[in-house]
């Protein structure tokens, strides 16, 4: 594997793990919203407390959605993959360069 591909694979792994973490956070927020609705229905919290917590959770969920649904990011990822693939195809080693220069 070329250094460029290795580096790209490392960045891809970091990106994937960050995305998984964000998606996990979205799931926890969704569960918290469900619990919040249940608490309101059971009379365990006031309408004001419900609205305040709900707004915080929904705002964070909106932020997560915006981060994970960014079309610019997806396009950039595809462009990066193409650049690395093209670089690897045309890649020469120092040994190749030396051999060519000697001939």
């Amino acid at each position: 594997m070329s250094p460029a591909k290795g580096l790209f694979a490392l960045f891809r792994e970091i990106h994937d793990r960050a995305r998984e973490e964000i998606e996990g956070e979205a799931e926890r927020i969704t569960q918290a919203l469900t619990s919040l609705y249940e608490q309101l229905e059971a009379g365990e919290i006031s309408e004001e407390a419900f609205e305040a917590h709900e707004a915080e959770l929904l705002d964070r969920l909106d932020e997560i959605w915006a981060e994970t649904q960014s079309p610019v990011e997806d396009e950039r990822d595809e462009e990066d993959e193409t650049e690395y693939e093209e670089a690897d195809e045309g890649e020469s080693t120092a040994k190749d360069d030396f051999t060519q220069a000697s001939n």
Side-chain angles (χ1 to χ4, degrees), residues 35-95:
S35 176
L36 192 63
Y37 287 117
E38 291 171 355
Q39 290 174 349
L40 178 65
E41 288 179 10
E44 296 173 4
I45 60 172
S46 69
E47 185 77 30
E48 294 81 24
F50 169 81
E51 289 175 2
H53 289 351
E54 180 191 40
E56 290 174 14
L57 292 170
L58 290 175
D59 286 347
R60 181 60 188 136
L61 201 53
D62 285 343
E63 290 172 9
I64 291 170
W65 185 83
E67 290 171 4
T68 60
Q69 301 301 317
S70 173
V72 172
E73 179 183 30
D74 292 340
E75 290 173 11
R76 191 173 49 235
D77 288 345
E78 290 173 12
E79 290 171 3
D80 289 347
E81 286 179 16
T82 303
E83 287 176 20
Y84 283 111
E85 289 170 2
E86 290 171 357
D88 287 338
E89 290 171 5
E91 192 174 83
S92 65
T93 64
K95 182 179 178 182

